[in-house]
Amino acid sequence: MSNIKVSKITFNKTRVVCIVECGGNTDKELAARVLEKLPNLKLHPCKNNRGPKFIDVIESTSIAHLFEHIVIDLESRSSNNITFGTTTRLSDNKYKVELSYTDDIAMLKSINEATKLINFLIEEIQDSSSFLQQ
């Protein structure tokens, strides 16, 4: 797993498109830490090949897909209705995350908070792992 970076944000009339750079997939440890902070992720609907909810793939999905659902969760907390979210792989470590939005300022805040949360949790896992190896 590597940190996530949002390299480009484009606001269209009803959607925001984020170009996200990140490597690796989620695992059980990251999933558990994220769910501890955002338990509503268990309830998110999600089109995937394992089931109807995001919880069905949270332990083995791209970091960008996790980012999509964290942004949706943060936006729903601020009473902004997101009706659409999708993550598309563009290349090895580059993804397009597209989300509907109603308030561009609130969306920017959610994007920033989601990025910080994911990077914090990844660094926390890496720090604890390197500590245990000493």
Side-chain angles (χ1 to χ4, degrees), residues 67-133:
F67 168 80
E68 172 199 332
H69 281 273
I70 291 175
V71 172
I72 289 170
D73 194 75
L74 294 173
E75 280 290 286
S76 69
R77 291 168 183 243
S78 63
S79 300
N80 293 312
N81 291 330
I82 293 184
T83 57
F84 174 84
T86 187
T87 300
T88 306
R89 187 178 190 164
L90 302 175
S91 65
D92 283 346
N93 295 321
K94 192 177 275 191
Y95 297 82
K96 177 173 79 171
V97 177
E98 194 170 351
L99 301 151
S100 63
Y101 76 97
T102 55
D103 181 334
D104 57 348
I105 301 300
M107 177 56 79
L108 280 172
K109 182 179 177 187
S110 295
I111 289 167
N112 187 43
E113 288 179 5
T115 303
K116 286 181 180 179
L117 176 61
I118 291 169
N119 287 338
F120 172 79
L121 294 174
I122 288 173
E123 289 170 15
E124 190 176 64
I125 290 167
Q126 291 170 342
D127 288 348
S128 67
S129 176
S130 64
F131 177 76
L132 294 173
Q133 292 175 357

Side-chain angles (χ1 to χ4, degrees), residues 5-90:
K5 175 185 171 192
V6 179
S7 59
K8 185 176 180 182
I9 301 172
T10 305
F11 284 92
N12 298 321
K13 196 174 234 182
T14 59
R15 295 184 179 165
V16 60
V17 177
C18 301
I19 302 301
V20 176
E21 298 172 25
C22 54
N25 287 339
T26 59
D27 60 16
K28 287 183 181 187
E29 188 170 5
L30 180 57
R33 289 175 190 238
V34 168
L35 289 171
E36 185 178 300
K37 303 274 187 203
L38 301 170
N40 286 339
L41 290 179
K42 293 177 187 174
L43 307 173
H44 281 215
C46 179
K47 289 184 180 179
N48 64 71
N49 59 0
R50 294 196 193 129
K53 303 270 185 208
F54 184 59
I55 191 71
D56 298 316
V57 295
I58 194 170
E59 292 181 357
S60 62
T61 193
S62 70
I63 301 294
H65 188 209
L66 175 66
F67 168 80
E68 172 199 332
H69 281 273
I70 291 175
V71 172
I72 289 170
D73 194 75
L74 294 173
E75 280 290 286
S76 69
R77 291 168 183 243
S78 63
S79 300
N80 293 312
N81 291 330
I82 293 184
T83 57
F84 174 84
T86 187
T87 300
T88 306
R89 187 178 190 164
L90 302 175

